[in-house]
Amino acid sequence: MSDGVLHKAMAPLVAPPVFDFWVQKINRTLSWERPLARVVGREVTARGTVTLTLKANRHFRGYAAGQHVPVSVEVDGVRLTRTYSPVTPWQGDRRLAITVREVDGGKVSAALVHALSVGDVVELGPAFGDMVLPDGGASRPWLLVAGGSGITPLMCLARALLAENPSADITLMMWARERADLCFSGTFADLRARHPNLRVLPVLTRESRCLPNELSGRPGAELFAAQVPDIATRAVRACGPWGFVETVSSLLAPIAADFDSECFTPPPRATQAGEAVTVTLLRSERQVQVPAGAPLLESLEEQGVQPAYGCRMGVCNTCVCDKRAGTTEHVYNSEQHAEAGPVRLCVNAARSDITLDL
Amino acid sequence: MKQSKSRPLTREQVDQFGAELDALHTRVRDDLGQHDADYIRRVFAAVRYTEAAGRVLLYCWFLPPLWVLGVLLLGLSKILDNMELGHNVIHGQFDWMNDPYLRGRDWEWDIVATGDNWRETHNFRHHTYTNIKGMDDDIGYGLLRLFPEQRWRPFYLFQPLVAVIFALLFEWGVAIQDLRLGRYFKGKMAPGEMAAAFRPVGRKMRRQMIKDYLVFPLLGGPLFLPILAGNALANIMRSLWTYMIIFCGHFTADVDVFPKSVMNGESRGQWYLRQIRGSSNLRGGKLFHILTGNLSHQIEHHLFPTLPANRYGDIAPEVRAICRRYGVHYNTGSLWLQFGQVIWRILRYSFPSKPVPVNRVRLLAE
């Protein structure tokens, strides 16, 4: 089941679904080609937040600290995918830990936080993301700025830096609403005991009374000046909601030695019918503008794209195409669909910018 | 010549009729979930277990009843794989699950026909142009005359014999359907073009032949021949069953065929109407429906080919009630009644007959 010579030689003879059916009678994480992982640990790490430890099979290729990994689970029969940042660096034991906070109305986060237990299997995807450490980064001073669950990739960066240089100079400022929302309190206590140059500053925005080691307030110039006077010498990485990262970036990017950030993708903006939206075509490496609300097949053809098609009325499934992101709407019943998955181009219209595997 | 059993409707009535069916479709679509996902995975598991059991029992040549059971189980596995699993998954009925292993566009099945050819001839041509003469190749498969609207030729006198051979080799017939050999023999297709079209088909045929008639028999050593025979019988069993079910879907006595002109400005409601008037159902129990791939609910399948087939039985009473309200004939009967009518068509139309008057195919009231 490795991707070696045997795997390649056998490929024409093997039907992967049949192969997986039988080998998964032995072990549910065995697969011909899919990166599956078993939940081997589950720990509640904050209010409504769990850290899951996963053991991946050999089809998962690992990740660099700071990268993100798509995690798929089946919810009510539908395979749904969300991206999480592992909080520990990838090592030889094929384990990764993800910290998941339940989002209001979030189907996947609810499944991961409540329904999943040790022994269950999830599917992973290839890791991605550019906020990774430069070579030799552990010898310079760092400031890591986290908003809410933006802490997760920064946690991984901090651990990777400390693994490389146990006395690395790291200041980590983590924003949360209340104390109960803070993740990793115990972990940080452990780390600080072993790493004297690690400074962890929780900043709370809605807690009525702060403890001596806690700060309060939103990100601001004075707060940073008071807490990190040597900002000009530090490399900064920030992660959090879009607005948070915008603020931090405007304050620190001009004055820090080095600045990089990532934010959670805002949900695609819903558009009015007729408004132009961008369709990103992954295979043909193109972007085209089409009117929202108009059947995609026709709109794409007008832009010179020629998808396969048949009936043009939603019957034959010939024009089905994988949507990777964005909201589409069925033209007959106006139902909107924001999850990734197959869509029939002839009877679906874009309702936001979308990405297609075409 | 008899009239269609459906009464002509006004354009407004046809639109309302279509809207009612659209609403039914949306309601079922919104209700899909774990139950349906579990169902199709159970069918997949049933195919795997019956295949494994059947193949193992074929090695029990020395205990003939077990060998016979092996043939039956392997045949059953191929029938399930063909009908309730393959046919339905290939339609994209389970695409909503977003499971890479249950995607219509990528599915391949245990039959000599390629999934790609099937997607073209069946999903697209047959389901879009259902029962339109000259568009839907399933009308007689270019081999049989089943409707008076098809022009008679002396070749059709041999039709009863041709039909039997076609039934025994049905999976091969389906495999070459998309090649349109008729066009090739008439010189309308260059040899190079035909060779290119045949390549994937040939590859699939070779794969199936090697699997069923070489690898598994060789694994039996001295039992090579009994195992080869068992595989052949299982394949024939599947061909006969699928032929019978599929023919009952569109070639019973009361189904209509249509001229190409029906497509001019055909509304959604008219399209639905044509699907119903061109299809016929089979009555039976739960197991029977599963073995037919729920094509016993041919009418529901043709209305909603992308809805999971395990739902057709649930919505059939509602479809029937809608049809009753609009005076649309809902064609259903037992397998023997419906197949009897198919046999009658095969025999009757091997002889010359006059085409029907136009009003039989009229969809709209004037």
Side-chain angles (χ1 to χ4, degrees), chain B residues 295-329:
Chain B
L295 293 184
S296 48
H297 301 297
Q298 189 76 230
I299 292 173
E300 288 72 24
H301 174 55
H302 265 267
L303 293 173
F304 312 123
T306 58
L307 278 187
N310 53 305
R311 294 295 185 124
Y312 294 157
D314 302 342
I315 61 171
E318 284 180 72
V319 171
R320 195 168 185 171
I322 294 171
C323 286
R324 195 177 305 126
R325 282 207 298 282
Y326 289 86
V328 176
H329 178 56

Side-chain angles (χ1 to χ4, degrees), chain A residues 12 16 18 20-21 25 34 74 76-79 310-311 313 315-317 320 322 332-333 335 340-342 344, chain B residues 26 30 33-34 41 44-45 48-49 92 95-101 103 105 123-124 128 207 268 271 305-306:
Chain A
V18 179
D20 284 11
F21 175 82
K25 299 288 165 207
R34 288 166 72 167
E74 195 165 296
D76 196 19
V78 184
R79 181 170 165 272
C311 66
M313 57 182 293
V315 169
C316 74
N317 218 39
V320 75
D322 244 16
Y332 290 146
N333 58 23
E335 278 186 14
R344 294 194 291 272
Chain B
T26 301
D30 288 348
Q34 198 64 49
R41 293 207 174 102
F44 184 87
R48 304 278 73 90
Y49 287 127
D95 276 13
W96 55 274
M97 289 171 62
N98 191 27
D99 179 338
Y101 282 170
R103 250 176 227 180
R105 205 181 46 186
N123 284 9
F124 168 45
T128 309
R207 185 192 168 95
R268 236 180 123 58
W271 184 86
T306 58

Side-chain angles (χ1 to χ4, degrees), chain A residues 184-272:
Chain A
F184 309 121
S185 307
T187 315
F188 282 126
D190 279 359
L191 285 173
R192 279 213 316 279
R194 283 183 287 132
H195 304 286
N197 294 330
L198 171 68
R199 204 156 64 105
V200 179
L201 300 170
V203 195
L204 304 174
T205 53
R206 289 198 195 156
E207 188 70 52
S208 48
R209 290 181 61 191
C210 287
L211 297 175
N213 64 328
E214 292 168 348
L215 303 168
S216 70
R218 300 187 174 278
E222 285 160 35
L223 183 68
F224 284 118
Q227 297 300 326
V228 203
D230 56 353
I231 185 74
T233 67
R234 287 182 183 265
V236 178
R237 295 293 178 266
C239 185
W242 183 79
F244 174 86
V245 170
E246 280 292 286
T247 309
V248 173
S249 168
S250 66
L251 292 169
L252 299 185
I255 54 173
D258 174 34
F259 185 91
D260 198 359
S261 67
E262 266 185 2
C263 59
F264 315 141
T265 323
R269 195 173 53 93
T271 45
Q272 299 293 313

